[in-house]
Amino acid sequence: MIETKDISSDLNQAQNLTFEDFKKTVINDYEIAYKSRQASILGRREVLTGKAKFGIFGDGKEVAQLAMAKVFKNGDWRSGYYRDQTFMFATGMTTIKELFAQLYSNSDLENEPASAGRQMNAHFATRFINEDGTWQNQVKMKNSSSDISPTSGQMGRLLGLAYASKLYRQNTDLKEFDNFSINGNEVAFGTIGNASTSEGLFFETINAAGVLQVPMAISVWDDNYGISVSSKYQTTKEDISEILKGFQREEGKPGYEIFKVKGWDYPALCETYEKAIKICRDEHVPVLIHVTEITQPLGHSTSGSHERYKSKDRLEWEKENDCLLKMKEWMLSSAIITETQISELENEAKISVKAILKEAWTDMMAKIKIEKQEALTLLDALSDKVEEVKNVSVILKSEIDPLRKEIISSVRKALRLSAINQSDEKVQLLDWYKGQQKLNSNRFNSKLFTGSSKSPILINSIPVNYHQDSKMVDGREVLNACFDANFEKNPLLIAFGEDLGSIGDVNQGFAGLQAKYGELRITDTGIREMTIIGQGIGLAMRGFRPIAEIQYLDYVLFALNILSDDLASLSYRTKAGQAAPMIVRTRGHRLEGIWHAGSPIGLLINALKGIHLCVPRNMTQAAGMYNTLLKGDEPAFVIECLNGYRLKEKMPDNPGEFCIALGEVEFLKEGKDITLISYGSTLKLVCEAAEELMNYGIDAEVIDVQTLMPFDNEMNCAKSLKKTNKLLIIDEDVPGGASAFILRDILERQNGYFSLDVKPQTLTAAEHRPPYGSDGDYFSKPSIDDIIEKVYGMMQSSNPEKFSDIF
């Protein structure tokens, strides 16, 4: 570990500057840091006075972030957290005004480009997707991946952002993609609080980056606390760099370079970051910079004061060791600035930041005030017809700085009060309200997916082709042919996961492909589900098309936090400013045992809004979905049937071309008596049951869902229900899981309720996970017997004279 001593080194000589140029650089840095501190102070006041909801800031970390910003170049990436405002200001990736716009939740992208008001303040992002869905040239800009609030959540994607540089440098076939990388020279910068290094994802990422040897530079801001909990409860030895010494690289043993430096020592910080990032960038060695003696002058957030949990001695120490005070002292002692000059600088900075704050608030309220006046004009006109509306108008007029919530709520109340009034004034108010509904839907509910012209939703089905002598092969061979064809035509396509590379995955879907396309493209990973997903997210952000494999569906739970918090929300939380078109591949459903037969689809549906969810019944269906997804540009999750790899299927003539449209159900059997809906492995049982039901005079229609998100865009399930008037949904999830999701959609969105002549029902697995063995499967998941008897019972309730009791 390299520990930088307190120095007042001659940065002038190091940077080949004249002393005057050096002074200007340092003074400019101090001005940025001081303005950043004022932004924190004023932002906190805005929350405490009620103009903003919540505030969290980067006070106390300003000087360290100045040093980090100096070595951050065009093409580099940041994957950090909500304390990095000074770094963002210093690099030009955001402005103080944009910070305040986010604090006020300004929904105008021009004012708040990071999230259009969808994220809490200090959740930073740069936009690399244009409005038309095309990608910007990442090497000509400084890049920040979109922050998330969960602590250490940024670490997974950080690994992928760094790994992309390794692939761009080592794979010579990728030289042409110079809008994403120049010889892999880009460093991925990560930041994290010292308390958050206690998280498992931090350690998983640290280990994975050490194994992969990628240009990842992680800065730990160490202020000795995690909210109110001190380091002695957080970290062994109370020192993260101390306990990570085993990761330090040695001769012949790759690892990390670890640095330790005080957060108030400006020259030492500059020297440390210059050394660390040079190693990281040139040698592709991960580095960790442990920045100690950080203070937090304003406390953790606006939720409360740090005086509640810090001792008087600690508070006094923090005042004496405030990084701005220390930098100021160093500047004065080094004759960089005089007392008079620095006082003038600080006074001007305070005035400037206050003016920016006022401007941000004015911008925020400008459109809202126009909307308020438009609403009042219409309300006053309506109040001449409906007396009760006058009071609604009076209350809205009394609101000095109303939000859209108050305006729209007033209009809705007025419309309710005038329910029986059919005047022109009411029509005008209603028309205005409908127009605002569209605008507000765009502001607050849009872009769950980027929705570009390359969205996989827009890709039509392409039929699978066979010839007269098409061979019957194991299903895994169909998948293998699909992957082979796609890897052949797209050099940015890569795949990785546990056992995926050398042996071609546990079910041989990638058999032989690593030997054909190389270890850089088809790669084994360690057992580390969270960072497998994070690796995919970061790679996808940098132009790759990753297929990240989680070996079994039950193991997805280890990575659900990254999938849900990061990937699923990415497009929404940036309002389509960022994208990560990766595919998560896994296998599940019927087999044996608690952790190899799971089907937690309801959990995935609820957690993964923003990711397409595909549930193919066989490997041909899976291949068609992969072909569709790889032509599109949105994230997806594909669950292959675990017991289907060795079932025989025809080998397509066009394994890399045929496509299955997302959101399109398939009718496997037409019928007139009852509609049976299912997906995945259970469909095989449903089809067999439907054949036997014919023996009892029951003609069932069988529908394969194919994809759950999106689900049945053409509402064909309801069309079937109009014919049969009876509905049974069969799946392997727990009661109330995916079957409830399907049922709600058919009854509510598709208006299927009006077609029913008996109660709709679901047939699911038991509430517990399936025990081991064939008996365990039979007695805990729907069987052919269960399906037949359930359908028979529903038919009996409709026509008891025709269908006698079985039991």
Side-chain angles (χ1 to χ4, degrees):
M1 179 172 68
I2 301 171
E3 185 161 356
T4 308
K5 303 298 183 184
D6 299 351
I7 59 173
S8 54
S9 63
D10 187 0
L11 296 180
N12 176 30
Q13 182 179 0
Q15 298 183 27
N16 296 317
L17 298 172
T18 66
F19 187 63
E20 287 303 312
D21 288 339
F22 169 64
K23 286 201 305 183
K24 287 179 183 178
T25 298
V26 175
I27 291 168
N28 182 66
D29 279 354
Y30 182 78
E31 183 180 4
I32 292 170
Y34 193 83
K35 284 182 175 179
S36 180
R37 178 67 61 85
Q38 292 305 304
S40 298
I41 293 169
L42 293 178
R44 182 179 176 85
R45 288 178 186 170
E46 291 299 274
V47 175
L48 298 181
T49 58
K51 289 175 78 174
K53 291 281 286 184
F54 177 79
I56 196 160
F57 303 97
D59 46 292
K61 299 163 182 65
E62 294 92 348
V63 174
Q65 293 181 17
L66 292 173
M68 184 168 70
K70 287 180 179 300
V71 292
F72 192 87
K73 298 182 178 181
N74 282 352
D76 286 346
W77 281 83
R78 168 189 171 272
S79 182
Y81 80 131
Y82 41 75
R83 302 292 189 191
D84 292 346
Q85 69 193 53
T86 306
F87 172 78
M88 295 297 291
F89 299 154
T91 56
M93 288 192 286
T94 197
T95 66
I96 294 174
K97 187 176 178 182
E98 289 169 350
L99 178 80
F100 288 143
Q102 194 174 58
L103 181 70
Y104 295 137
S105 65
N106 191 322
S107 59
D108 191 327
L109 265 178
E110 290 186 8
N111 294 317
E112 205 282 87
S115 74
R118 297 178 177 191
Q119 291 245 64
M120 286 181 179
N121 78 295
H123 285 61
F124 304 108
T126 54
R127 306 184 73 77
F128 58 79
I129 301 294
N130 297 311
E131 286 189 17
D132 62 0
T134 58
W135 291 56
Q136 297 182 25
N137 189 323
Q138 295 178 355
V139 302
K140 292 185 177 180
M141 57 191 285
K142 294 180 173 70
N143 305 282
S144 175
S145 59
S146 174
D147 293 347
I148 59 176
S149 293
T151 58
S152 89
Q154 70 274 23
M155 293 293 295
R157 111 176 71 93
L158 173 64
L159 176 69
L161 292 169
Y163 184 55
S165 288
K166 175 178 179 174
L167 295 182
Y168 279 122
R169 178 172 290 184
Q170 295 189 6
N171 188 346
T172 56
D173 292 337
L174 302 180
K175 299 297 183 184
E176 64 181 287
F177 299 102
D178 56 3
N179 57 325
F180 292 111
S181 178
I182 303 297
N183 196 37
N185 291 333
E186 304 76 25
V187 171
F189 288 70
T191 61
I192 192 168
N194 62 298
S196 297
T197 64
S198 301
E199 296 267 17
L201 183 51
F202 173 81
F203 283 97
E204 190 173 305
T205 303
I206 289 291
N207 183 59
V211 170
L212 292 172
Q213 288 293 284
V214 293
M216 182 182 89
I218 181 74
S219 296
V220 179
W221 310 138
D222 190 346
D223 61 12
N224 204 49
Y225 285 87
I227 307 184
S228 67
V229 180
S230 71
S231 293
K232 69 179 181 179
Y233 298 110
Q234 303 276 4
T235 310
T236 304
K237 299 183 180 181
E238 300 183 46
D239 192 317
I240 188 62
S241 58
E242 183 70 20
I243 65 173
L244 291 177
K245 280 183 176 179
F247 284 88
Q248 175 66 48
R249 65 174 177 167
E250 303 170 12
E251 187 68 33
K253 294 182 179 180
Y256 277 72
E257 282 295 349
I258 301 175
F259 299 80
K260 195 171 188 178
V261 60
K262 291 179 172 58
W264 46 262
D265 192 337
Y266 174 80
L269 284 159
C270 291
E271 180 182 279
T272 298
Y273 272 95
E274 187 174 346
K275 286 181 179 178
I277 302 308
K278 180 172 176 52
I279 292 169
C280 190
R281 192 182 305 278
D282 294 349
E283 302 178 43
H284 275 199
V285 170
V287 299
L288 182 137
I289 302 104
H290 183 193
V291 184
T292 63
E293 297 191 14
I294 292 279
T295 66
Q296 200 158 268
L298 301 179
H300 174 265
S301 69
T302 55
S303 293
S305 171
H306 59 158
E307 294 173 355
R308 293 177 299 163
Y309 53 84
K310 290 180 181 175
S311 68
K312 289 183 179 179
D313 288 345
R314 174 69 190 191
L315 290 168
E316 187 60 33
W317 180 89
E318 290 198 4
K319 287 180 182 178
E320 294 173 357
N321 289 276
D322 187 300
C323 63
L324 292 187
L325 176 62
K326 288 286 191 179
M327 184 175 178
K328 182 177 178 178
E329 291 173 352
W330 172 77
M331 291 166 67
L332 291 168
S333 66
S334 302
I336 292 171
I337 199 167
T338 66
E339 287 276 11
T340 301
Q341 288 172 327
I342 206 164
S343 293
E344 290 176 356
L345 182 154
E346 290 175 352
N347 287 333
E348 290 174 4
K350 287 180 181 179
I351 294 168
S352 173
V353 175
K354 282 183 180 179
I356 292 170
L357 178 77
K358 184 176 180 181
E359 188 178 349
W361 177 253
T362 301
D363 288 349
M364 166 72 179
M365 297 306 299
K367 289 184 180 179
I368 295 178
K369 286 183 176 179
I370 293 172
E371 291 165 20
K372 175 187 176 182
Q373 191 53 54
E374 289 174 349
L376 284 171
T377 299
L378 294 167
L379 287 170
D380 288 342
L382 182 58
S383 67
D384 291 337
K385 303 289 184 179
V386 182
E387 182 70 22
E388 294 86 349
V389 173
K390 287 184 178 179
N391 190 48
V392 176
S393 179
V394 168
I395 292 172
L396 181 57
K397 286 174 182 175
S398 69
E399 296 278 359
I400 298 174
D401 287 320
L403 297 176
R404 289 188 169 93
K405 169 187 173 183
E406 283 78 27
I407 298 169
I408 297 302
S409 182
S410 297
V411 170
R412 292 172 73 176
K413 185 170 184 178
L415 289 169
R416 292 196 300 270
L417 290 170
S418 58
I420 61 173
N421 183 285
Q422 298 303 320
S423 64
D424 291 341
E425 290 79 1
K426 180 189 174 182
V427 171
Q428 290 172 5
L429 181 62
L430 182 59
D431 287 344
W432 184 86
Y433 169 64
K434 288 179 179 178
Q436 291 299 308
Q437 276 186 308
K438 292 179 181 178
L439 292 172
N440 287 324
S441 177
N442 177 267
R443 290 181 181 117
F444 305 112
N445 308 122
S446 62
K447 299 299 183 180
L448 184 61
F449 293 93
T450 52
S452 77
S453 59
K454 291 186 177 181
S455 169
I457 296 294
L458 302 177
I459 295 173
N460 295 322
S461 292
I462 296 176
V464 57
N465 293 336
Y466 300 106
H467 61 270
Q468 187 175 358
D469 299 319
S470 291
K471 290 174 60 178
M472 295 296 292
V473 298
D474 289 347
R476 62 181 177 81
E477 296 181 61
V478 176
L479 268 184
N480 189 274
C482 164
F483 292 139
D484 189 9
N486 280 287
F487 270 81
E488 181 71 35
K489 61 189 174 186
N490 186 356
L492 290 172
L493 180 58
I494 59 175
F496 49 89
E498 300 162 17
D499 300 302
L500 184 76
S502 179
I503 69 169
D505 88 43
V506 291
N507 295 103
Q508 298 291 282
F510 274 88
L513 297 186
Q514 186 186 76
K516 184 173 182 179
Y517 295 104
E519 192 173 348
L520 289 175
R521 296 190 63 193
I522 298 171
T523 313
D524 285 316
T525 70
I527 300 176
R528 50 177 181 83
E529 284 81 7
M530 286 187 287
T531 49
I532 287 173
I533 298 302
Q535 194 171 322
I537 295 172
L539 286 166
M541 285 180 162
R542 294 194 59 188
F544 285 96
R545 293 306 312 269
I547 298 174
E549 179 177 308
I550 302 297
Q551 198 162 89
Y552 294 107
L553 180 55
D554 294 286
Y555 301 165
V556 168
L557 298 182
F558 284 93
L560 191 62
N561 52 343
I562 309 301
L563 285 165
S564 183
D565 293 334
D566 200 349
L567 181 61
S569 71
L570 178 62
S571 178
Y572 174 78
R573 73 177 188 266
T574 61
K575 202 174 183 183
Q578 296 192 358
M582 65 177 288
I583 296 172
V584 181
R585 177 194 182 218
T586 190
R587 51 189 67 82
H589 308 311
R590 309 184 85 94
L591 198 65
E592 277 90 21
I594 292 172
W595 289 284
H596 294 82
S599 192
I601 308 298
L603 179 147
L604 299 179
I605 288 169
N606 287 291
L608 302 186
K609 301 295 185 186
I611 301 175
H612 298 301
L613 182 57
C614 303
V615 283
R617 68 181 183 270
N618 58 36
M619 302 309 150
T620 302
Q621 298 296 103
M625 292 173 188
Y626 285 122
N627 290 334
T628 298
L629 295 168
L630 289 169
K631 290 180 181 180
D633 63 355
E634 293 171 350
F637 193 102
V638 181
I639 305 170
E640 298 163 12
C641 294
L642 188 50
N643 61 357
Y645 293 103
R646 286 176 172 78
L647 296 180
K648 298 300 182 183
E649 301 180 35
K650 276 187 179 182
M651 174 60 77
D653 294 338
N654 54 342
E657 297 298 330
F658 74 95
C659 293
I660 291 176
L662 304 188
E664 185 177 285
V665 302
E666 182 178 359
F667 286 77
L668 301 185
K669 177 184 177 299
E670 293 190 3
K672 63 182 183 345
D673 293 327
I674 187 170
T675 299
L676 306 181
I677 297 175
S678 189
Y679 59 86
S681 295
T682 308
L683 266 166
K684 185 173 184 295
L685 306 184
V686 173
C687 289
E688 291 180 28
E691 292 302 315
E692 185 169 338
L693 284 166
M694 294 292 287
N695 297 331
Y696 304 101
I698 300 171
D699 186 11
E701 187 146 278
V702 180
I703 296 176
D704 179 5
V705 163
Q706 297 200 107
T707 65
L708 285 160
M709 295 191 294
F711 176 72
D712 192 8
N713 291 335
E714 300 298 320
M715 297 192 284
N716 283 315
C717 291
K719 293 172 186 175
S720 172
L721 191 53
K722 282 183 180 179
K723 177 172 56 173
T724 67
N725 309 119
K726 299 173 188 66
L727 175 63
L728 176 63
I729 300 163
I730 309 102
D731 81 330
E732 299 180 57
D733 200 357
V734 296
S739 57
F741 165 83
I742 295 169
L743 183 63
R744 185 211 65 83
D745 189 278
I746 295 170
L747 297 188
E748 292 186 19
R749 182 178 69 92
Q750 302 189 28
N751 290 318
Y753 173 82
F754 299 102
S755 300
L756 295 169
D757 63 13
V758 295
K759 179 178 69 174
Q761 297 201 40
T762 64
L763 178 60
T764 69
E767 294 186 354
H768 55 77
R769 297 190 185 190
Y772 176 67
S774 296
D775 281 348
D777 176 84
Y778 180 82
F779 289 105
S780 57
K781 289 198 172 188
S783 66
I784 294 174
D785 297 321
D786 294 328
I787 297 165
I788 291 170
E789 290 164 12
K790 188 76 168 182
V791 171
Y792 188 94
M794 292 177 68
M795 296 301 297
Q796 184 186 40
S797 68
S798 175
N799 190 350
E801 294 181 359
K802 182 176 179 181
F803 299 97
S804 304
D805 289 339
I806 296 176
F807 300 109

